[in-house]
């Protein structure tokens, strides 16, 4: 496995991903699976968060405890990344959400930005980029560049399925950004879709296919 690339080997992730890939899974179930998989992958992607010590009053007395130190920003890449926010939010209810709108030009496969809701100054210490698909890697590379220009220091990419081409593009452009995914697939096809993949994650979530 490439350094900095974490492919989950959790049985629940594999089980849910299999349902997600299934061409017969309808949008209602697809959306639930995206949410659940995002939660499970977020659990893995947050294992490096730092803690500070505190104490808490229990019904029986005082207990030593810890709280997460860093503030966290979720950066979903529209559209498909939107479906990942709810699952991650269940684990990180205090996280801020900053939307980035990109679509892939169907001819060039290059990302085209149409929306950016980042505030002028970075307000969070850790950014989790959320996008189900890492295909050519163009969208993830461009979003990471935006976040770095903005001043983000600790960035992680959380996705569901990646192609080797996308992983390589991210590792070359941003070797400091860890990649957390449910599966690393075989390849991209001639129109830039991940094979075997799951089709178009945006269309399958929003019923627009
Ligand atoms: C898909 C997907 C990623 C991007 C991945 O979005 O959700 O954002 O393509 O491809 P890349 O790694 O080659 O950049 P799409 O352009 O279909 O837009 P959508 O999410 O709005 O459907």
């Amino acid at each position: 496995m490439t350094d900095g690339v974490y492919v989950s080997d959790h049985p629940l992730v594999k089980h849910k991903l299999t349902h997600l890939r299934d061409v017969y899974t309808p949008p209602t179930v697809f959306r639930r699976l995206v949410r659940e998989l995002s939660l499970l992958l977020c659990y893995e992607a947050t294992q490096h968060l730092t803690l500070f010590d505190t104490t808490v009053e229990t019904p029986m007395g005082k207990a030593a405890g810890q709280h997460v130190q860093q503030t966290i920003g979720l950066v979903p890449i529209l559209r498909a990344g939107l479906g990942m926010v709810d699952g991650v939010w269940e684990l990180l209810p205090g996280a801020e959400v900053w939307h980035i709108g990109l679509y892939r030009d169907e001819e060039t496969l290059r990302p085209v930005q149409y929306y950016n809701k980042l505030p002028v100054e970075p307000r969070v210490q850790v950014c989790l980029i959320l996008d189900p698909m890492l295909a050519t890697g163009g969208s993830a590379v461009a979003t990471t560049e935006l976040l770095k220009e903005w001043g983000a220091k600790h960035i992680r990419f959380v996705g569901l399925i990646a192609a080797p081409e996308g992983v390589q593009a991210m590792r070359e452009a941003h070797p400091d950004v860890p990649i957390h995914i449910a599966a690393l697939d075989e390849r991209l096809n001639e129109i830039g879709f991940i094979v075997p993949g799951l089709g178009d994650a945006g269309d399958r979530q929003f019923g627009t296919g």
Side-chain angles (χ1 to χ4, degrees):
M1 179 52 52
T2 317
D3 237 20
V5 181
Y6 304 96
V7 183
S8 178
D9 61 2
H10 197 293
L12 287 178
V13 169
K14 293 177 193 290
H15 173 86
K16 289 174 190 294
L17 183 68
T18 303
H19 283 302
L20 192 77
R21 288 186 190 274
D22 190 333
V23 68
Y24 299 109
T25 297
T28 44
V29 179
F30 192 93
R31 287 195 293 272
R32 175 171 59 75
L33 290 165
V34 168
R35 181 169 55 76
E36 292 170 353
L37 280 161
S38 305
L39 186 152
L40 292 168
L41 289 168
C42 173
Y43 178 76
E44 297 185 354
T46 49
Q47 66 181 338
H48 304 291
L49 290 178
T50 57
L51 299 166
F52 66 87
D53 292 328
T54 185
T55 54
V56 64
E57 193 79 28
T58 81
M60 310 300 288
K62 272 194 187 332
Q66 285 140 353
H67 284 307
V68 170
Q69 195 154 33
Q70 292 123 318
T71 52
I72 298 159
L74 310 181
V75 184
I77 305 180
L78 306 178
R79 288 177 304 168
L82 268 184
M84 297 181 70
V85 172
D86 273 358
V88 178
W89 242 347
E90 283 182 36
L91 285 189
L92 302 170
E96 299 181 15
V97 179
W98 301 106
H99 300 85
I100 299 290
L102 294 178
Y103 69 87
R104 249 185 0 168
D105 182 291
E106 285 180 9
E107 298 288 314
T108 64
L109 297 183
R110 294 299 306 153
V112 180
Q113 188 184 316
Y114 61 89
Y115 192 71
N116 176 346
K117 193 62 185 159
L118 294 176
V120 179
E121 294 289 327
R123 298 186 4 176
V124 290
Q125 291 159 334
V126 176
C127 288
L128 301 180
I129 299 175
L130 307 178
D131 192 336
M133 309 304 272
L134 184 62
T136 65
S139 305
V141 167
T143 301
T144 307
E145 267 159 27
L146 264 177
L147 292 177
K148 286 184 174 175
E149 279 164 21
W150 181 53
K153 296 275 183 287
H154 301 284
I155 304 170
R156 285 174 181 265
F157 177 88
V158 184
L160 300 183
I161 301 181
E165 293 88 337
V167 168
Q168 192 183 342
M170 268 300 272
R171 295 315 287 159
E172 280 174 16
H174 302 293
D176 56 311
V177 175
I179 297 171
H180 296 267
I181 45 178
L184 181 58
D185 274 11
E186 287 164 25
R187 62 186 172 87
L188 286 182
N189 69 10
E190 58 289 346
I191 55 165
F193 273 63
I194 301 176
V195 179
L198 50 70
D200 187 311
D203 282 344
R204 294 198 62 185
Q205 286 181 81
F206 297 110
T208 51

